């Protein structure tokens, strides 16, 4: 009989190192089976979790709210299934991703957030009227003193259509509706400048079918109001789905995409989609600025820890040039009354994103009107302590409150 040295080989031709690696792999599989809720965070997020009992709320399990990490893993799995359904080169989603925008982008989102359609003298307004000689003379004087870009503007209102929220209580449905299209059209008729439609069912209670319904409904009542897809974007094919559905833009979460943010911004621009980058921390805002994001949304909710910081957006407002600056900056997350709205707009934000506070609320018209009639100070004046001063569209101080704006003493004021 022939003997085989145990130092070099073993049964079935396996070496000692192969057996060691097999044992390690077996232990890993055993640990995963024993502790299925201990998850590794994807590298794109760039954060780590702990397994201590104090942070157990961050882990997704039955009976607990889905955290951002679980949502990202679920979304990645879902997108694998979606991509398997769009493999044909003639598939409309693949065609939307593969071909660049052949004509100039209408920039419907940027124009709506700047409210250029309300400015009869704005060159971006397709219905702009020629300026009078008095206006030309005034513009020339402002140009001579270096203040040509200092114009008085109004805030924009963005409605976030959803039934529930990733940052809310587990299973909490704060608004029930059958058709997101009907809700979107109603909000536009009430004065909403931009419509967000959430397309992640487990997190927000919506889907792509509702996005398409909202696009059709909004186009029937307005040719200028943009519809934006809000989702947990983790794969490029989601941009193709948004484009194929007729959306004007998408929301990208800086906490999810991390270093991949640049690639998603580039691809969206190539496809003719406008983008809104959602940030929470100072580093995320700086990352979005470095990536040359044109529109940034600062949310008061920390998506990772699911914690609400009511002053987060206000504290980070100094990172932007201010209202009317080169970056369109928005604030959102927990803005539920006019006081919170005014504080965010007073520090330089161009608009606010509101969801729960107006979804199904009978006082939504007053809230929307209060936002849209709010005067925005120019970037140069946003930190001068003029929060309580009201101006007309020509920049002249007004002696009293503006007409038709709810006041704190009104009985029907939005609370």
């Amino acid at each position: 009989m022939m003997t085989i040295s145990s130092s070099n080989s073993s049964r079935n031709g396996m070496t000692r190192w192969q057996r060691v690696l097999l044992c390690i792999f077996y232990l890993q599989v055993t640990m995963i089976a024993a502790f299925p809720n201990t998850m590794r965070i994807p590298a794109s997020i760039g954060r780590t979790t702990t397994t201590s009992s104090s942070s157990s709320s961050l882990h997704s399990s039955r009976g607990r709210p889905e955290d951002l990490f679980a949502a990202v893993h679920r979304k990645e799995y879902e997108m694998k299934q979606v991509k398997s359904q769009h493999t044909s080169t003639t598939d409309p989603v693949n065609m939307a991703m593969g071909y660049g925008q052949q004509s100039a982008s209408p920039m419907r989102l940027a124009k709506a957030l700047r409210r250029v359609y309300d400015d009869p003298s704005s060159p971006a307004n397709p219905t702009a009227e020629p300026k009078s000689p008095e206006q030309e003379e005034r513009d020339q004087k402002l140009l001579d003193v270096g203040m040509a870009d200092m114009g008085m503007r109004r805030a924009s209102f963005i409605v976030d259509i959803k039934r529930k929220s990733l940052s809310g209580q587990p299973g909490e449905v704060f608004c029930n509706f059958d058709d997101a299209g009907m809700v979107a059209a109603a909000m536009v008729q009430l004065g909403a400048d931009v419509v967000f439609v959430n397309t992640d069912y487990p997190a927000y209670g919506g889907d792509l079918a509702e996005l398409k319904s909202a696009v059709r409904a909004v186009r029937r009542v307005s040719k200028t109001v943009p519809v934006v897809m809000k989702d947990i974007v983790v794969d490029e094919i989601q941009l193709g789905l948004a484009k194929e559905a007729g959306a004007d833009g998408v929301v990208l979460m800086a906490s999810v995409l991390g270093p991949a943010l640049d690639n998603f911004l580039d691809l969206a621009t190539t496809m003719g989609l406008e983008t809104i980058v959602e940030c929470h921390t100072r580093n995320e805002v700086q990352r979005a600025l470095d990536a040359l994001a044109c529109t940034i949304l600062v949310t008061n909710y920390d998506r990772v820890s699911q914690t609400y910081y009511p002053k987060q957006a206000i504290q980070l407002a100094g990172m932007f040039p201010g209202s009317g600056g080169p970056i369109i900056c928005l604030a959102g997350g927990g803005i539920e009354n006019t006081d919170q709205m005014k504080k965010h707009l007073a520090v330089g934000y161009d608009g606010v994103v509101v969801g729960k506070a107006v979804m199904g609320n009978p006082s939504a018209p007053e809230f929307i009107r209060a936002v849209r009639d709010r005067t925005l100070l120019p970037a140069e004046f946003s930190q001068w302590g003029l929060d309580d001063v009201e101006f007309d569209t020509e920049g002249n101080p007004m002696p009293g409150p503006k007409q038709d704006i709810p006041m704190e003493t009104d009985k029907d004021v939005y609370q």
Side-chain angles (χ1 to χ4, degrees):
M1 293 180 61
M2 181 177 62
T3 61
I4 301 176
S5 174
S6 61
S7 61
N8 295 324
S9 60
S10 62
R11 287 173 295 179
N12 299 326
M14 295 179 60
T15 64
R16 178 182 300 173
W17 290 111
Q18 288 175 327
R19 284 186 294 165
V20 171
L21 292 174
L22 182 60
C23 291
I24 294 175
F25 175 77
Y26 176 79
L27 289 175
Q28 289 178 338
V29 173
T30 304
M31 291 294 292
I32 293 174
F35 304 98
N37 295 325
T38 303
M39 305 186 314
R40 171 170 292 190
I41 304 171
S44 60
I45 295 181
R47 300 174 185 261
T48 58
T49 57
T50 60
T51 55
S52 61
S53 58
S54 62
S55 62
S56 60
S57 61
L58 295 179
H59 301 294
S60 175
S61 61
R62 294 181 180 178
R64 294 179 180 176
E66 183 182 44
D67 56 43
L68 182 64
F69 311 130
V72 168
H73 281 286
R74 171 181 55 78
K75 204 68 184 183
E76 289 176 339
Y77 175 78
E78 290 178 2
M79 288 306 105
K80 288 182 180 179
Q81 308 303 314
V82 171
K83 292 176 75 173
S84 65
Q85 301 171 7
H86 299 277
T87 57
S88 173
T89 55
T90 59
D91 183 85
V93 175
N94 276 333
M95 293 178 66
M97 297 176 62
Y99 292 94
Q101 181 78 5
Q102 297 182 355
S103 59
S105 174
M107 299 298 291
R108 189 180 282 116
L109 177 59
K111 291 179 180 179
L113 293 175
R114 291 297 194 193
R115 292 187 62 181
V116 300
Y117 300 107
D118 298 336
D119 186 358
S121 61
S122 174
N125 187 349
T127 61
E129 302 174 356
K131 294 184 179 180
S132 64
E134 293 78 11
Q135 289 177 321
E136 293 287 354
E137 182 180 359
R138 179 177 180 272
D139 292 346
Q140 184 60 43
K141 289 181 180 179
L142 292 176
L143 180 62
D144 294 339
V145 296
M147 301 174 64
D149 295 331
M150 295 179 60
M152 304 307 297
R153 300 170 43 256
R154 302 295 186 196
S156 57
F157 179 85
I158 302 94
V159 60
D160 192 6
I161 297 179
K162 55 187 176 182
R163 296 177 176 85
K164 53 185 178 179
S165 176
L166 185 63
S167 56
Q169 297 296 325
E172 177 190 13
V173 177
F174 53 77
C175 182
N176 281 312
F177 52 85
D178 295 329
D179 186 5
M182 295 180 61
V183 177
M187 288 295 175
V188 171
Q189 291 174 324
L190 290 176
D193 297 288
V194 179
V195 175
F196 282 5
V197 179
N198 291 265
T199 58
D200 186 273
Y201 187 80
Y204 301 106
D207 53 33
L208 279 171
E210 291 195 322
L211 174 62
K212 296 179 180 179
S213 173
V215 170
R216 292 192 298 268
V218 171
R219 291 294 168 267
R220 285 195 293 266
V221 298
S222 173
K223 301 299 182 182
T224 60
V225 174
V227 179
V228 177
M229 185 187 83
K230 182 181 176 185
D231 200 347
I232 306 171
V233 177
V234 298
D235 195 287
E236 293 88 346
I237 197 171
Q238 291 171 271
L239 302 183
L241 293 171
K243 182 68 176 180
E244 194 270 337
D248 299 285
V250 294
V251 177
L252 305 176
M253 295 183 182
S255 58
V256 172
L257 295 178
L261 178 62
D262 298 73
N263 295 334
F264 279 80
L265 289 173
D266 293 341
L267 180 58
T269 302
T270 303
M271 296 168 55
L273 285 172
E274 296 180 78
T275 56
I276 297 178
V277 180
E278 181 189 290
C279 306
H280 172 72
T281 67
R282 176 177 293 272
N283 289 339
E284 290 174 359
V285 173
Q286 188 61 53
R287 181 73 187 85
L289 292 172
D290 293 341
L292 303 180
C294 298
T295 306
I296 298 177
L297 164 62
V298 182
T299 176
N300 294 314
Y301 279 109
D302 186 341
R303 299 290 186 187
V304 177
S305 64
Q306 297 183 192
T307 305
Y308 174 56
Y309 297 93
K311 297 182 180 180
Q312 183 73 2
I314 295 175
Q315 293 173 343
L316 295 180
M319 299 186 68
F320 304 100
S323 174
I327 305 297
I328 300 177
C329 50
L330 309 172
I335 300 178
E336 298 181 353
N337 54 57
T338 53
D339 285 338
Q340 293 174 328
M341 174 269 294
K342 291 178 180 179
K343 289 179 181 178
H344 285 81
L345 295 178
V347 297
Y349 285 100
D350 296 290
V352 292
V353 178
V354 182
K356 184 178 180 181
V358 296
M359 294 298 298
N361 195 315
S363 299
E366 289 82 3
F367 189 96
I368 296 175
R369 190 169 70 247
V371 173
R372 299 190 78 247
D373 287 338
R374 184 69 179 173
T375 300
L376 296 180
L377 293 174
E380 292 80 359
F381 291 163
S382 59
Q383 304 296 330
W384 282 23
L386 302 175
D387 302 354
D388 297 328
V389 181
E390 297 292 353
F391 298 86
D392 59 22
T393 56
E394 297 297 327
N396 301 314
M398 299 177 63
K402 291 177 290 189
Q403 188 177 4
D404 297 328
I405 301 301
M407 302 299 294
E408 298 296 335
T409 56
D410 294 343
K411 294 182 180 180
D412 58 345
V413 67
Y414 181 85
Q415 299 292 343

